[in-house]
Amino acid sequence: MNKLTISVSLLLLTVIVSGCSAESTEVTPTSIRPVKLLEVTDVNAGTLRTFPAKVAATKQAELAFRLSGHLVEFNLVEGQHVKKGAVLARLDRRDAQNTLLNREADHELAKADFKRKGELLRRELISQSEYDLASAQLKSSKANLASAQDQLSYTELTAPYDGTVAKISIDNYQMVQANQPVLMLQKDSDIDVVIQVPESLASKVTQFNPNAITQPVVRFANDPSSSYGALLKEHATQVTPGTQSYEVVFTLPRPSNMTILPGMSAELTMDISHNTSRTLTAVLPTSAISKRDEDGLSVVWAFDAKLGKVNQQVVTLGKVTTDGVEIVDGIKIGDQVVVAGVQYLSEGLEVKPLRWQRGV
């Protein structure tokens, strides 16, 4: 019995010793540190905004006669181009001509009487008051003559600038009243595009930045593949009723390769950022940036997805903003940068992207 007990004990001891030896020789695998990554994107992409727009005439005027009369010459059609100074319409001018003849006769008579009274005064045959009365009558007749000449000129309606007849309000041979609209004339050289800007963007859109990365461009509905540069012209300071937005007007030369009419649809794209150059690459949180001990340079840790390792990249810093620190140089769009725990990293360290799991 004792021999059997000793044999079992030796067998158990052998099993325990062999198990301990196997456990001691097992190699513990090295753990790979997970890191939080941020992919560098184009910081300027989100600052370009496109607004729906409407085409408007840069300058337009509703033309009318300054006196009443019978319209005898009015042969324009809507859409017709006219030159500055061209006669657009005429009234019957016979009454104005007759009035002018009367005023010319009165002026000649007053002029002759004044001359005669001057000679008589020199010879002391009349009083000074009679001479003064003749002088006043001459001035009055001269003013009446000028007024009659103006009235005759008012029978013609002329173009104040080169433009296009946008709208005709009356027909030929009608009786027209003074200041009654006859036609609408729109200027040809430039056009305006009008957009509505929400109040959240009003302060950015209404500040023209000549050094902006991209200047405002307009695309028209009848040729969306072409774009045309535009300049800020004016903006409203009161909100448009019912929309809670502000009207902003941009102007540009009228395109020569297409017909653009007021009321047509367009799109205006502009950069609402205040950046003045393309050197800004990214904006990173401060936790992603550290200083190198040996030379004090600012560095970030870039992740190489192919090798699964990180390496230092020396960067040039810009301004500190509420969103983080601007990176001017050292990284490019598409790079993946470690943004947390950079103090635990070393050159060539193997890491893996941190994967967030549901419930963690």
Side-chain angles (χ1 to χ4, degrees), residues 4-266:
L4 179 60
T5 304
I6 294 173
S7 300
V8 171
S9 300
L10 291 174
L11 179 62
L12 291 175
L13 181 61
T14 304
V15 171
I16 293 172
V17 172
S18 62
C20 292
S21 300
E23 185 178 351
S24 61
T25 56
E26 183 179 348
V27 178
T28 304
T30 305
S31 62
I32 300 177
R33 177 180 292 277
V35 291
K36 184 179 179 181
L37 300 176
L38 175 67
E39 183 173 349
V40 178
T41 58
D42 187 0
V43 295
N44 300 310
T47 63
L48 294 179
R49 294 294 181 90
T50 299
F51 301 89
K54 286 289 184 182
V55 178
T58 300
K59 180 185 291 186
Q60 64 180 19
E62 199 171 48
L63 304 183
F65 288 102
R66 298 179 63 174
L67 70 166
S68 303
H70 181 218
L71 188 62
V72 295
E73 185 177 329
F74 188 47
N75 301 316
L76 299 176
V77 294
E78 293 182 353
Q80 181 175 341
H81 296 274
V82 295
K83 294 292 185 180
K84 180 179 179 180
V87 177
L88 306 177
R90 281 193 178 92
L91 296 176
D92 187 346
R93 57 191 300 170
R94 289 176 295 181
D95 291 342
Q97 285 178 327
N98 292 335
T99 301
L100 177 60
L101 290 175
N102 287 330
R103 297 295 179 262
E104 287 177 343
D106 293 342
H107 179 260
E108 289 177 0
L109 181 61
K111 185 177 180 180
D113 184 60
F114 176 73
K115 184 178 180 181
R116 184 169 56 253
K117 292 293 178 61
E119 180 64 24
L120 293 177
L121 180 64
R122 188 181 64 80
R123 295 167 58 184
E124 298 183 351
L125 297 178
I126 59 173
S127 64
Q128 181 66 38
S129 61
E130 290 180 294
Y131 175 79
D132 292 341
L133 178 60
S135 176
Q137 289 176 339
L138 176 60
K139 291 180 180 179
S140 177
S141 65
K142 186 176 181 179
N144 291 334
L145 175 60
S147 177
Q149 291 171 338
D150 290 340
Q151 292 295 312
L152 182 61
S153 68
Y154 295 157
T155 61
E156 291 185 345
L157 194 62
T158 58
Y161 46 76
D162 295 349
T164 301
V165 179
K167 182 180 179 181
I168 293 177
S169 304
I170 62 174
D171 295 325
N172 199 10
Y173 306 118
Q174 285 186 223
M175 288 296 298
V176 297
Q177 301 300 317
N179 301 321
Q180 178 183 349
V182 175
L183 60 90
M184 179 78 72
L185 185 66
Q186 295 176 340
K187 195 170 185 179
D188 270 346
S189 58
D190 298 327
I191 58 174
D192 290 347
V193 289
V194 182
I195 64 174
Q196 295 290 334
V197 178
E199 56 185 344
S200 59
L201 298 177
S203 61
K204 296 181 179 180
V205 173
T206 56
Q207 294 178 1
F208 174 64
N209 182 7
N211 298 317
I213 295 173
T214 57
Q215 295 300 318
V217 294
V218 178
R219 292 179 176 85
F220 299 99
N222 55 349
D223 186 12
S225 61
S226 301
S227 59
Y228 305 87
L231 295 175
L232 177 65
K233 179 181 179 182
E234 58 189 5
H235 61 87
T237 56
Q238 290 186 341
V239 69
T240 303
T243 63
Q244 206 62 27
S245 61
Y246 294 84
E247 184 177 278
V248 183
V249 182
F250 292 80
T251 187
L252 67 154
R254 182 182 294 274
S256 58
N257 58 341
M258 70 175 72
T259 301
I260 301 297
L261 300 176
M264 286 185 171
S265 299

